[in-house]
């Protein structure tokens, strides 16, 4: 599900990617990570992954063919390839709870975890999204944020990317029907942009529980990052919702041999005499990689001279320190498509701001985890992913904001005058707890002893809100 992207303080939106285990949990810096005990990996926050989760994996699947591919293409194939991708092979569907959890009847955290264990055992589902676990309150908070900011002189138009089971869409439409002027509900449209046709059917079923929603809701099965799939530019104001989308978007890697060597883009190639593919380093030429580096003010080929450079060069030869940096090129491509098609969009995204216990090197490195023999294990290399492992990334929300401004035409690092032209967008990054305390009803997800899983267990997630300045009243 994706997005989002994407979205700091206490935390935000969709908190932790959870590997659930009965009666066992580990916490790192406030980020909860439940280990799998036979029911994982339970990706609580990846409805954006559009996933159908595999019950069988083939360890020798060829992700790379005879020609080298960029890292983002390797990751995209490992996750989304129609036959051997991790999400394409999953057999379970996104979970749907039969009833709302009555948090105020639970004593505390132990009772909540026990209830989750019971739910997973009874449903045999791979994951429940936060929208599902905290329904309808999670979606209601998002709806309230939109209503407070939207320009209601225009019909309310909403796009959700990676809508999972449709629970968030139904919750938002329920809230608008009950709390907005009747004209807002009667004229609104809600479009789910969903790759998975089976999830699209589930969304229609879920939203259709309220018959009046159906005439306002539709599913478009397509890739949101494909600009051509959006058709002509739409000049009307609209909202884009991306929940847990950004964490599974492909990334690229740039690499430098030491502290002063030029950056190189990383490709993946296979060798006929090896089981594992390997990395290949090339001069930075890819457009998306160069754009990300430009946004980060990184020069692919720095031409630095003088005594300081000479000293650093000598030092790097004596004590070489290779550098690796992960770049969210998939996010950049998606944002380019959205801004190109929907220049007056407002956006709400949520995702992980950091991930605990990442073993893979590099800034913004992902967590790669797979399930074998009933338990989950983390990998030390993304190259280990061959359709049997989830690959999910933390979202750098500072960088997400810069990408947002860049794609809107505000931020052009090579044009110093652009910063003086006035902001085209206003952006806000909030912790999940701050977002829900401002827009939601946190009392509805609080247990008897004061424990609140939505506020207390999502310490590594954030919400990102972005609106065009003309929508601010």
């Amino acid at each position: 599900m994706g997005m989002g992207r994407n979205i700091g303080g206490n935390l935000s939106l969709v908190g932790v990617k959870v590997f659930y285990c009965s009666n066992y949990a580990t916490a790192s810096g406030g980020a909860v990570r439940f280990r799998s005990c036979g029911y994982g990996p339970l990706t609580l926050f990846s409805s954006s992954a559009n996933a159908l989760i595999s019950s069988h994996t083939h360890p020798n699947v060829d992700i790379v063919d005879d020609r080298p591919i960029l890292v983002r293409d390797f990751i995209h194939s490992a996750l989304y390839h129609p036959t051997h991708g991790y999400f394409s092979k999953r057999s379970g569907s996104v979970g749907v709870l039969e009833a709302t959890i009555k948090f105020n009847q639970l004593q505390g955290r132990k009772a909540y975890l026990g209830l989750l264990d019971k739910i997973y055992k009874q449903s045999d589902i791979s994951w429940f999204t936060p929208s599902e676990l905290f329904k309808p309150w999670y979606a209601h908070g998002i709806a309230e944020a939109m209503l407070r900011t939207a320009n209601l002189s225009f019909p309310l138009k909403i796009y959700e990317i990676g809508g999972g089971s449709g629970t968030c869409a139904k919750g938002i439409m329920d809230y608008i029907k009950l709390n907005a002027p009747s004209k807002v509900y009667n004229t609104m449209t809600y479009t789910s942009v969903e790759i998975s046709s089976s999830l699209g059917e589930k969304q229609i079923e879920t939203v259709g529980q309220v018959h009046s929603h159906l005439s306002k809701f539709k599913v478009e099965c397509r890739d949101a990052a494909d600009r051509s799939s959006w058709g002509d530019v739409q000049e009307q104001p609209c909202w884009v919702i991306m929940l847990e989308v950004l964490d599974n978007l492909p990334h690229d890697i740039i690499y430098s041999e030491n502290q002063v060597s030029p950056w190189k883009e990383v490709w993946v190639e296979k060798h006929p005499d090896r089981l594992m593919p390997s990395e290949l380093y090339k001069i930075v030429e890819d457009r998306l990689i160069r754009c990300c580096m430009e946004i980060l003010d990184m020069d692919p080929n720095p031409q630095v001279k003088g005594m300081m450079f000479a000293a650093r060069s000598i030092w790097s030869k004596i004590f070489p320190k290779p550098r690796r940096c992960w770049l969210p090129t998939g996010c950049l491509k998606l944002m380019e498509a959205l801004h190109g098609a929907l220049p007056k969009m407002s956006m709400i995204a949520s995702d992980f701001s950091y991930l605990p216990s990442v073993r893979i090197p590099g800034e913004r490195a992902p967590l790669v985890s797979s399930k074998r023999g009933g338990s989950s294990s983390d990998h030390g290399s993304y190259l280990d992913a061959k359709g049997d492992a989830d690959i999910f990334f933390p979202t750098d929300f500072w960088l997400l904001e810069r990408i947002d401004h860049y794609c809107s035409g505000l931020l052009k690092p090579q044009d110093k005058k652009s910063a003086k032209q006035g902001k085209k967008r206003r952006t806000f990054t909030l912790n999940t707890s701050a977002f829900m305390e401002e827009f939601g009803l946190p009392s509805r997800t609080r247990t008897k002893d004061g424990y609140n899983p939505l506020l207390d267990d999502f310490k590594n997630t954030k919400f990102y809100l972005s609106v065009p300045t003309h929508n601010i009243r």
Side-chain angles (χ1 to χ4, degrees), residues 63-64 67-79 248-255 264-269 277-282 286 289 324-330 360-361 366 368 381-383 385 391 393:
I63 300 296
V64 186
R67 294 178 297 176
I69 58 175
L70 284 163
V71 171
R72 68 169 179 265
D73 296 323
F74 176 87
I75 292 174
H76 186 276
S77 182
L79 291 177
N248 281 127
L249 291 181
H251 285 51
D252 274 293
I253 304 175
I254 53 174
Y255 170 81
K264 295 184 178 181
E265 60 188 35
V266 180
W267 292 61
V268 179
E269 63 177 349
S278 63
E279 292 184 343
L280 176 67
Y281 310 110
K282 298 184 179 183
D286 178 74
I289 293 177
R324 297 174 70 86
C325 182
W326 290 81
L327 301 176
T329 46
I360 294 172
V368 179
S381 171
Y382 70 95
L383 295 172
I391 307 171
F393 294 84

Side-chain angles (χ1 to χ4, degrees), residues 154-332:
F154 294 89
L156 182 61
K157 179 181 291 187
I158 301 171
Y159 293 94
E160 183 178 2
I161 299 174
S165 64
T167 295
C168 182
K170 179 181 180 297
I172 288 173
M173 297 182 77
D174 288 347
Y175 188 87
I176 292 172
K177 182 177 182 178
L178 293 173
N179 294 280
S182 58
K183 180 181 178 181
V184 175
Y185 175 75
N186 291 335
T187 60
M188 75 174 292
T189 59
Y190 197 117
T191 302
S192 172
V193 181
E194 176 63 60
I195 292 179
S196 168
S197 59
S198 60
L199 282 179
E201 292 173 359
K202 181 61 181 175
Q203 292 164 17
I204 293 174
E205 177 186 338
T206 300
V207 172
Q209 292 172 13
V210 177
H211 184 73
S212 61
H213 291 350
L214 283 176
S215 62
K216 304 163 179 57
F217 180 80
K218 66 178 178 179
V219 177
E220 295 180 356
C221 291
R222 57 186 175 86
D223 181 0
D226 180 0
R227 172 62 186 88
S228 65
S229 74
W230 291 92
D232 296 335
V233 175
Q234 302 178 39
E235 295 291 349
Q236 299 80 14
C238 66
W239 278 89
V240 173
I241 301 172
M242 300 189 295
L243 308 182
E244 304 81 59
V245 169
L246 302 174
D247 62 345
N248 281 127
L249 291 181
H251 285 51
D252 274 293
I253 304 175
I254 53 174
Y255 170 81
S256 175
E257 294 178 351
N258 53 50
Q259 299 90 316
V260 298
S261 295
W263 290 101
K264 295 184 178 181
E265 60 188 35
V266 180
W267 292 61
V268 179
E269 63 177 349
K270 74 173 184 178
H271 301 275
D273 56 340
R274 301 180 194 171
L275 289 177
M276 286 288 293
S278 63
E279 292 184 343
L280 176 67
Y281 310 110
K282 298 184 179 183
I283 296 173
V284 176
E285 294 180 339
D286 178 74
R287 183 189 70 82
L288 290 175
I289 293 177
R290 294 187 73 91
C291 283
C292 274
M293 296 183 72
E294 180 184 10
I295 293 168
L296 285 165
D297 292 326
M298 300 172 68
D299 189 344
N301 300 291
Q303 300 295 322
V304 184
K305 303 297 180 183
M307 294 184 63
M308 182 63 71
F309 176 79
R312 289 178 59 195
S313 181
I314 294 172
W315 182 263
S316 67
K317 291 178 181 179
I318 300 174
F319 300 104
K321 185 179 180 181
R323 299 177 293 167
R324 297 174 70 86
C325 182
W326 290 81
L327 301 176
T329 46
C331 173
L332 174 60

